[in-house]
Amino acid sequence: MLHRDDWTALLLTFELAAVTTLCLLLVGLPLAWKLARSRGVRKVVVEVLVATPLVLPPTVLGFYLLLAFSPLHPPGSWLHDALGVSLAFSFEGLVVASCIYSLPFVVQPLQNAFEQLGRELPEAAATLGHGPLAVFFRMVLPNCRAGLVTATCLGFAHTVGEFGLVLMIGGNISGETRVASVALYDHAESLDLSRAHGLALTLLVLSVAFLAVVYGLRHRGRRQDGPA
C-alpha cells in the first residue's frame, strides 16, 4: 500500500503531465504544421531549437530556467515586479519547464505525420472553398490520427518520467512540486526501501499499462489511416 504522501505525489505528477500535454498540443500543432510546410534556413533554425532538449542534460536546462525564473534575473524579475508571479519552486514553473523540455516529443511526431500526408489533400480541399481552419481540423488531423496519438502519449509519458528538471525547478515541496520521481528518490536516499518499492512498482505497472494503450491506439490509428 502506498503512503498518502506518495498518492499525493502521483496525483500531482499526472496533473502536471496532463496540463503540460494540453499546453504542448496548443503550441505544437500549429508549430509542427508550419514546420511541415516550410523550407529554408529559418525552418532548420527552429527545428534545432525545438530538438535541443533531446541532447541537453536536464539539469543544464533546469539550471538556466531556474535563473530565468528567479526574481533576480530577467524575465523572472519582470514577472515578479509587473505581475507578482514567481515561477521558481512553483507548479506553474514546472509546467513551463516541462513544456520546454517535452516540446520535441510532441512537435516531431506531428511534423512527421504532416509531412507524410503531403500537400495534395490540403491544397485540394482549399480549392473547394474550405478555409485554413476547416482544412486543418476536418482534413489534416483526421488523416494524421496516429501521429497525433503518438505525440500526445509521448508528451504525457515524458513529463511523467522527468526527474532532474523538476527537481531543479520545483525542489521538493510536498503537495506543490514533489512529483513521483522526486518522492522515489527521497525514499531511496533515506533507505526507506519498502516505500521506494511500493512507489516504483506502481510506476512500473502504470508505465506498462500506458505503453499497452499507446501501442494499441497507434496500431488502430495506422489501420484507419491506411485506406485514406
Side-chain angles (χ1 to χ4, degrees):
M1 293 293 292
L2 292 180
H3 192 273
R4 185 174 61 181
D5 290 343
D6 295 331
W7 280 115
T8 300
L10 276 174
L11 291 176
L12 184 65
T13 301
F14 292 126
E15 180 183 357
L16 173 63
V19 174
T20 298
T21 303
L22 177 60
C23 294
L24 284 171
L25 288 175
L26 293 175
V27 174
L29 280 168
L31 178 57
W33 178 245
K34 181 67 175 178
L35 288 173
R37 298 175 66 84
S38 299
R39 294 186 178 90
V41 177
R42 285 186 296 180
K43 174 182 179 178
V44 175
V45 172
V46 175
E47 286 178 329
V48 169
L49 292 176
V50 169
T52 297
L54 293 173
V55 297
L56 194 65
T59 49
V60 173
L61 180 60
F63 172 72
Y64 284 112
L65 286 177
L66 186 61
L67 292 181
F69 293 167
S70 170
L72 301 178
H73 303 89
S77 57
W78 180 85
L79 291 173
H80 183 269
D81 296 338
L83 304 176
V85 174
S86 179
L87 293 178
F89 305 108
S90 68
F91 181 81
E92 293 77 11
L94 289 183
V95 171
V96 174
S98 298
C99 285
I100 295 173
Y101 189 47
S102 296
L103 185 63
F105 292 88
V106 172
V107 170
Q108 290 184 351
L110 289 173
Q111 182 182 347
N112 291 335
F114 294 153
E115 290 175 344
Q116 290 176 6
L117 179 64
R119 295 174 175 264
E120 292 78 9
L121 180 62
E123 290 176 353
T127 60
L128 295 175
H130 297 286
L133 290 179
V135 170
F136 184 75
F137 286 104
R138 295 180 183 179
M139 301 292 180
V140 174
L141 285 186
N143 285 277
C144 296
R145 285 184 293 266
L148 180 60
V149 169
T150 300
T152 302
C153 294
L154 284 178
F156 187 93
H158 190 251
T159 304
V160 170
E162 292 174 3
F163 173 69
L165 181 72
V166 295
L167 186 60
M168 291 287 290
I169 298 297
N172 191 6
I173 306 174
S174 180
E176 295 185 30
T177 63
R178 189 172 188 254
V179 295
S181 58
V182 176
L184 177 58
Y185 176 79
D186 279 349
H187 297 333
E189 188 179 39
S190 62
L191 298 180
D192 191 348
L193 299 185
S194 61
R195 290 184 64 178
H197 279 305
L199 186 55
L201 182 60
T202 301
L203 288 171
L204 177 61
V205 171
L206 291 175
S207 298
V208 172
F210 183 79
L211 286 175
V213 173
V214 169
Y215 281 96
L217 289 174
R218 286 181 62 185
H219 180 66
R220 180 180 179 183
R222 284 172 176 170
R223 285 192 305 174
Q224 292 176 347
D225 287 346

